[in-house]
Amino acid sequence: MKTYALVLAAGKGTRMRTIMPKCAYPILKKPMIEYIVENIEKSNIDETVVVVGHKREVLQDILQDRVSYAYQEEQLGTGHAVLSAESILAHKEGITFILPGDMPLIDYVLINKILSAHQEMGNDLTVVSMMMDYPKSYGRIVRDEYNSILRIVEENDCNEYQKQIKEVNTGIYVVNNKILFNSLKKIKKNERKNEYYLTDIVELMHTDYKVNSFIVRHPHVTMGVNDLYGISIAEKYLRESINKNHMLSGVSIINPETVTIGDNVVIEEGVIIHPNTTITGRSVVHSGAQIGPNTEIHNSEVGSNTVVNHSLVYDSKIGEETTVGPFAHLRGHAVIGNRNRIGNFVEVKNSSTGDDTKAAHLSYIGDATVGHNVNFGCGSITVNYDGKLKHRTTIGDDVFIGCNVNLIAPISIGNEVFLAAGSTVTDDVPTGSFTIARNRQVNKSDYAKNYIKPHIDKTPGQ
Ligand code: UD1
Ligand code: CA
């Protein structure tokens, strides 16, 4: 029998008060829906359908063809959302694992456990519930005197007694496809909310079919995110569990409450991460590297024994035994070699450097291909933009660039070149050249007095 997942992600997410649709909202810089789909992909589920509606293009842009889509034109509730997948699922023999698109912490191990329980118990419908001390905003599970589930009542429809119930609906259901779509058609509109509630299938099915529950042990895993405060809680859980796993794998994290690591980041044993550091996206940090404090790394690779401190690194790659920072900025596919020094207030954009190259202070290296053992003097820059177009700079090996040199691109500098400090270099420089491109100094003797004001002694009393 085939197993399908149906993720409900068409809602507006009104309580979020954000322009971005809720299920696309990022947690640790990754869209909420991606966490869910990634775990479904790792589970025993065969095919995934995502119900989209409100701003569906945003979600489809994130998920592309990893899933198939059902379209819910008007957001008339969770029951209506499932019904919009009727043409895709109703005729398919099998079971469907329904879950809300605002449940980012669900993991594949739990998905598999729920699926096995459903099959082992021989259920037609498994309702997944959890115990909450403060059940606010969740639907309450109402049971009869034999402990069978009778119905689910939404918070706003609860009487005072039902409000005290601590067992709540996670929003996950496993259900036989045919029975699901037959029952859905019988759901009546909730007049107060003008919505069709998926929760009503419980009451519709419990007399004629086998309806059971699966109670999750760790309720935070199935928490629903409804607003930005919920985002922060999910983020906190996720951060703590990711950091813990890294620490148990030999990564030293100092003051971990201040360190944020995305869940796709790979960090090798022996790395030290200092406070106030964020490493996200598809980043890899190799052994012996030290990152932080106050550093942000996104979609980047850091080589072994490299140190990055007080710096920003986006979409870039840094070699081994290199130091970056303090206050360096690498971006736009910067590729830095081994044993480099990218120092104070140096920005590198869309450029590569060979091994043993140094830019220790106040440089801009943009759209450049730089060789091995190049020294950028303090304040030397590539002048890559002429106001209309960006141009490239090529620099060979063993080049010494004096302080405050401007390299006006497009330009090519050969190997073993020495560029004198203060030069504005506009033409290509051949290998072996010593180049000086600035006005010759003139000393006019005894002339400074024409410019310098005489010193007035202001000592009181004189
Ligand atoms: C829902 C459940 C509630 C449960 C809670 C768990 C119902 C009526 N209530 O409430 O019992 O305790 O989840 O978190 O089902 N969606 C659509 N189309 C719609 C409406 C919603 O696709 O027309 C999607 C949303 O994008 C969201 C999910 O369904 O991802 C859940 O909707 P939401 O409004 O958050 O439901 P809750 O009020 O949290
Ligand atoms: Ca919700």
Side-chain angles (χ1 to χ4, degrees), residues 375 397-403 405 413-421 423 425 429-438:
N375 185 85
D397 298 333
D398 306 307
V399 172
F400 183 92
I401 304 168
C403 290
V405 166
I413 312 292
N415 299 325
E416 293 161 31
V417 162
F418 190 105
L419 302 175
S423 292
V425 185
V429 177
T431 287
S433 177
F434 172 94
T435 299
I436 180 160
R438 56 170 136 97

Side-chain angles (χ1 to χ4, degrees), residues 29 265 278-284 295-302 308 311-319 328-336 348-352:
K29 295 199 184 167
V265 172
T278 298
I279 309 175
T280 49
R282 306 255 158 206
S283 293
V284 181
T295 291
E296 207 175 302
I297 294 183
H298 185 66
N299 279 341
S300 297
E301 185 172 349
V302 178
V308 184
S311 291
L312 307 172
V313 181
Y314 306 120
D315 306 307
S316 295
K317 190 173 174 199
I318 307 167
H329 185 186
L330 310 186
R331 64 187 177 97
H333 306 284
V335 179
I336 306 297
V348 184
K349 186 222 58 171
N350 185 27
S351 297
S352 63

Side-chain angles (χ1 to χ4, degrees), residues 15 22 100 102 137-138 224-226:
R15 289 165 283 183
K22 176 167 70 175
D102 62 0
S137 88
Y138 289 99
V225 169
N226 293 322

Side-chain angles (χ1 to χ4, degrees), residues 4-65:
Y4 302 88
L6 185 63
V7 186
L8 312 184
K12 289 202 181 74
T14 316
R15 289 165 283 183
M16 288 284 283
R17 294 165 172 261
T18 54
I19 293 164
M20 189 178 283
K22 176 167 70 175
C23 303
Y25 204 84
I27 298 180
L28 304 186
K29 295 199 184 167
K30 178 166 138 176
M32 197 180 323
I33 193 83
E34 251 194 281
Y35 288 93
I36 299 168
V37 169
E38 235 170 64
N39 275 285
I40 293 172
E41 284 169 347
K42 284 192 207 159
S43 78
N44 297 332
I45 286 168
D46 301 305
E47 277 177 38
T48 305
V49 180
V50 178
V51 183
V52 291
H54 174 71
K55 294 201 176 160
R56 64 173 160 160
E57 64 289 347
V58 180
L59 286 145
Q60 285 177 299
D61 198 40
I62 295 166
L63 295 174
Q64 305 274 330
D65 54 7

Side-chain angles (χ1 to χ4, degrees), residues 46 76 84 146 154 208 225 244 284 311:
D46 301 305
L76 294 176
S84 61
Y146 306 106
E154 290 305 292
D208 298 336
V225 169
K244 182 179 166 191
V284 181
S311 291

Side-chain angles (χ1 to χ4, degrees), residues 111-165:
I111 294 176
N112 287 344
K113 269 192 199 157
I114 296 168
L115 283 172
S116 316
H118 175 85
Q119 272 145 351
E120 279 160 24
M121 287 193 272
N123 295 342
D124 296 310
L125 168 64
T126 304
V127 176
V128 180
S129 67
M130 57 185 168
M131 306 305 293
M132 299 284 270
D133 285 339
Y134 302 99
K136 209 171 170 345
S137 88
Y138 289 99
R140 308 297 201 277
I141 306 282
V142 179
R143 292 178 182 266
D144 64 13
E145 64 269 38
Y146 306 106
N147 211 30
S148 325
I149 299 186
L150 286 181
R151 68 181 77 89
I152 298 171
V153 185
E154 290 305 292
E155 161 99 6
N156 288 329
D157 303 315
C158 280
N159 59 33
E160 281 314 306
Y161 163 74
Q162 289 165 334
K163 274 195 182 150
Q164 306 306 315
I165 298 174

Side-chain angles (χ1 to χ4, degrees), residues 317-329:
K317 190 173 174 199
I318 307 167
E320 299 176 1
E321 293 171 30
T322 283
T323 65
V324 174
F327 312 111
H329 185 186

